Amino acid sequence: VQLQASGGGLVQPGGSLRLSCAASEFTLDYYAIGWFRQAPGKEREGISCIGSKDGRTYYAESVKGRFTISRDNAKNTVTLQMNSLKPEDTAVYYCATDTTASTRPCSTWSMYNYWGQGTQVTVSS
């Protein structure tokens, strides 16, 4: 079982990036998927998620209105479209899933127990 985040890079303030979370050997559609980030010297924070059964989405206040999470079931991926990026968005971004397929809200960050490798996002002029 593998989970891999990709799509990071260097972008100027106000720019956009599209992150993808891809899975091998299991179907993402069955599980809640969360996006987290960790900036240097800071704790990891959950920023967005999408539920499995209800498809509900959640956004932290820091990204609401700028980021959009969605599923592409045909590609077995979950994407995070990030617009209007700010320098404070600079971090390593991770996707994660709850392999227990819990029915708890996807913003229950403690339930995520399987993590992929992160992708670096740097917002700088």
Side-chain angles (χ1 to χ4, degrees), residues 31-100:
Y31 303 95
I33 302 296
W35 281 99
F36 297 76
R37 68 185 182 187
Q38 187 165 21
K42 294 187 176 181
E43 292 187 354
R44 185 175 61 200
E45 62 170 333
I47 58 170
S48 183
C49 62
I50 186 165
S52 58
K53 298 174 178 61
D54 58 17
R56 289 184 179 180
T57 59
Y58 169 88
Y59 300 94
E61 284 300 319
S62 57
V63 305
K64 193 176 292 184
R66 301 187 298 123
F67 291 11
T68 304
I69 190 171
S70 61
R71 292 186 183 271
D72 185 336
N73 294 333
K75 295 182 179 179
N76 199 30
T77 60
V78 171
T79 62
L80 185 69
Q81 178 67 42
M82 307 189 298
N83 299 328
S84 303
L85 284 162
K86 305 174 182 180
E88 51 264 43
D89 294 318
T90 296
V92 178
Y93 284 69
Y94 301 88
C95 60
T97 190
D98 163 34
T99 59
T100 69

Side-chain angles (χ1 to χ4, degrees), residues 2-4 20-31 33 70-79:
Q2 287 190 330
L3 205 60
Q4 180 67 52
S20 291
C21 178
S24 61
E25 300 183 30
F26 72 99
T27 303
L28 285 180
D29 190 30
Y30 296 156
Y31 303 95
I33 302 296
S70 61
R71 292 186 183 271
D72 185 336
N73 294 333
K75 295 182 179 179
N76 199 30
T77 60
V78 171
T79 62

